[in-house]
Amino acid sequence: MADIINPVRFVVFGDGEVGYRITRYSREIPYLKQVGYVEMEPSILRDVANELMVPLYAATRDSYDKLHKAGNKPVGTLDDLSGVNFDVAIDATEPQVYFSEKVPNFRLDVPIIGQGSLTEGFDISVSSLVNLHLVPGLKRIRKVSCNTTAASRVIGRLQEAYGLGTNADG
């Protein structure tokens, strides 16, 4: 179990609004520690990783050169990240670019959390109030979209109140 002394160490793949929020808000949870941020393209949001002292890794050598030239400060590439110890990979890209193209070939021994609309290739789609208890032991976990979260909460309450049928995949 994670605690302040042994936090869950994670890497975020991709940025944009979701990656930014994960990077920014996870700092407020003492049992989480972000140990890397992987990106392909230069952006002002990459400066957030630098500002918060989260190591920025480029997905490829070409990405490293682009990021560096744009003033971002990558510490290495995805190959360099392979020497970093982490417990969870979070794919924060909407098309799940890292989940589908990079992460499976990079490291298979940690759970991968994706988000948004992609459903293929995940072991479970999770809404924390409905089926979070089914996650332990699974490797590919999809955090459902905000619309699905809202709907699954309503359905979950109806299941509780009226004994409606359940679907283990949420």
Side-chain angles (χ1 to χ4, degrees):
M1 175 126 198
D3 56 32
I4 295 173
I5 296 171
N6 300 302
V8 172
R9 298 168 55 86
F10 69 95
V11 175
V12 172
F13 289 82
D15 93 4
E17 190 64 28
V18 172
Y20 168 79
R21 287 180 183 180
I22 293 168
T23 296
R24 175 68 73 190
Y25 299 129
S26 66
R27 297 179 63 78
E28 298 175 17
I29 304 171
Y31 49 86
L32 294 177
K33 179 170 178 57
Q34 186 172 353
V35 297
Y37 202 104
V38 181
E39 190 48 67
M40 296 179 74
E41 298 293 330
S43 166
I44 192 75
L45 288 176
R46 271 25 131 233
D47 293 335
V48 171
N50 294 328
E51 169 194 329
L52 297 176
M53 298 178 11
V54 174
L56 174 63
Y57 294 87
T60 65
R61 185 69 204 167
D62 287 342
S63 296
Y64 179 91
D65 294 339
K66 286 182 196 175
L67 289 164
H68 189 62
K69 187 175 182 179
N72 300 125
K73 299 177 178 111
V75 298
T77 65
L78 198 55
D79 291 335
D80 298 310
L81 183 61
S82 67
V84 175
N85 182 30
F86 57 93
D87 306 303
V88 177
I90 300 172
D91 187 338
T93 62
E94 178 57 33
Q96 309 294 279
V97 172
Y98 293 101
F99 174 78
S100 62
E101 297 175 14
K102 303 278 184 204
V103 176
N105 298 322
F106 171 65
R107 177 177 275 175
L108 295 173
D109 61 341
V110 299
I112 300 166
I113 300 173
Q115 56 94 29
S117 59
L118 186 68
T119 58
E120 290 183 29
F122 287 95
D123 297 329
I124 190 169
S125 295
V126 174
S127 173
S128 59
L129 292 179
V130 178
N131 63 349
L132 187 61
H133 65 284
L134 298 173
V135 169
L138 300 177
K139 290 288 186 184
R140 301 191 189 282
I141 302 148
R142 174 183 169 253
K143 171 64 179 98
V144 296
S145 69
C146 55
N147 294 332
T148 306
T149 296
S152 64
R153 288 179 178 174
V154 170
I155 292 167
R157 295 292 183 239
L158 290 171
Q159 288 173 337
E160 277 180 21
Y162 301 106
L164 298 176
T166 61
N167 176 347
D169 193 30

